[in-house]
Amino acid sequence: TRGAVVNSVGNSFRVWATYTREGASSEFFSNLEFEKGNGDVFSSKKTYYWPGTGTFDFVAVANAPESNFTYNMSNDETKLESFTYTVPAAATQQNDIIVATAKGVAGNNNASVPLSFKHIMSAVNVKIGKVVKGEIRSITFKNVYNKGEYLVDQGVWVVDKTSIGDFTVHMEGGKFVSSGSDDKDTPVNTAAGTFMFIPQNPGETAEMVIEFYDSSTGRLYSDEAGAYKPALRGTLADDNWEKGKTPNYM
């Protein structure tokens, strides 16, 4: 699932539950793993009983990375308030994180709780636009905001604009070959190489650089030393990468 858009929660996800009764809230359980069982019903290994009164708020997180990812509880330690995430540089290590919430579930529910998971990252693809003939060897997004805090209740990201990074994906087999005829609108960075960025408006210094070998001239357009310059690049400052959306660059 890493570096690719996910269409299911997989075999497990983590859940936080806050119990509220007569205006007072408490942690019912935190970071509890629910695993798939018979009939695609997910359950925890430990049994929890509905209290019969009050209400529950649930937060479920799936496909979260094991590193660069921190869960933040509220000051009173009663609920999952947010999480912070730093996106790794390699596209194949970037996760398509999905989140679901269920609020105000009755304490006497005594039944399964439906969860509607939503994508919270922005998946960025590059496609062949203008017909060209040659080899695309890598794609790099430079000076992109790479850290943020996701506020669970509001469902929004707060971007840390002091933290920026460069992100590169190298083509499978070392290159993407364009025939110059029938491959228009074909994704260059395949599913495993889809960029999973924190939703943002890239800053003034953000740009995309493509390493391209022109088979008609024998020139390699790249930022690397010894390659033909200028490299193929474009600025990103006016762009908008939205949560749960997939911007496509042609």
Side-chain angles (χ1 to χ4, degrees), residues 124 139-142 144 165-167 195 197 207-208 236 241:
V124 177
I139 302 168
T140 301
F141 285 86
K142 293 192 170 186
V144 170
D166 296 345
F167 304 87
F195 291 98
F197 289 138
E207 59 184 358
M208 178 179 64
L236 308 174
W241 297 342

Side-chain angles (χ1 to χ4, degrees), residues 105-136:
V105 179
N108 62 352
N109 183 64
N110 196 29
S112 297
V113 176
L115 295 172
S116 178
F117 283 86
K118 299 183 184 300
H119 300 271
I120 66 166
M121 304 299 289
S122 182
V124 177
N125 278 334
V126 176
K127 295 184 176 183
I128 289 292
K130 186 177 180 180
V131 177
V132 292
K133 187 175 182 180
E135 301 171 1
I136 295 176

Side-chain angles (χ1 to χ4, degrees), residues 97-111:
I97 306 167
I98 53 178
V99 175
T101 59
K103 296 184 178 182
V105 179
N108 62 352
N109 183 64
N110 196 29

Side-chain angles (χ1 to χ4, degrees), residues 139-212:
I139 302 168
T140 301
F141 285 86
K142 293 192 170 186
N143 301 320
V144 170
Y145 300 127
N146 64 348
K147 184 178 180 181
E149 180 180 10
Y150 183 77
L151 308 180
V152 174
D153 283 346
Q154 295 87 339
V156 298
W157 282 94
V158 177
V159 178
D160 181 352
K161 294 189 176 181
T162 67
S163 182
I164 60 174
D166 296 345
F167 304 87
T168 299
V169 60
H170 295 279
M171 301 304 101
E172 293 182 5
K175 59 188 177 182
F176 174 93
V177 179
S178 171
S179 64
S181 58
D182 58 358
D183 46 22
K184 187 177 181 182
D185 296 333
T186 300
V188 176
N189 52 327
T190 56
T194 299
F195 291 98
M196 294 292 171
F197 289 138
I198 290 174
Q200 60 184 278
N201 294 108
E204 293 295 328
T205 61
E207 59 184 358
M208 178 179 64
V209 179
I210 295 179
E211 183 180 39
F212 177 71

Side-chain angles (χ1 to χ4, degrees), residues 21-54:
R21 180 184 178 186
E22 297 179 352
S25 297
S26 60
E27 175 194 295
F28 198 72
F29 55 73
S30 286
N31 203 11
L32 184 67
E33 184 177 33
F34 279 67
E35 296 180 297
K36 183 187 289 188
N38 294 331
D40 289 337
V41 174
F42 290 76
S43 59
S44 61
K45 292 182 179 179
K46 181 179 178 180
T47 300
Y48 291 83
Y49 294 95
W50 294 98
T53 60

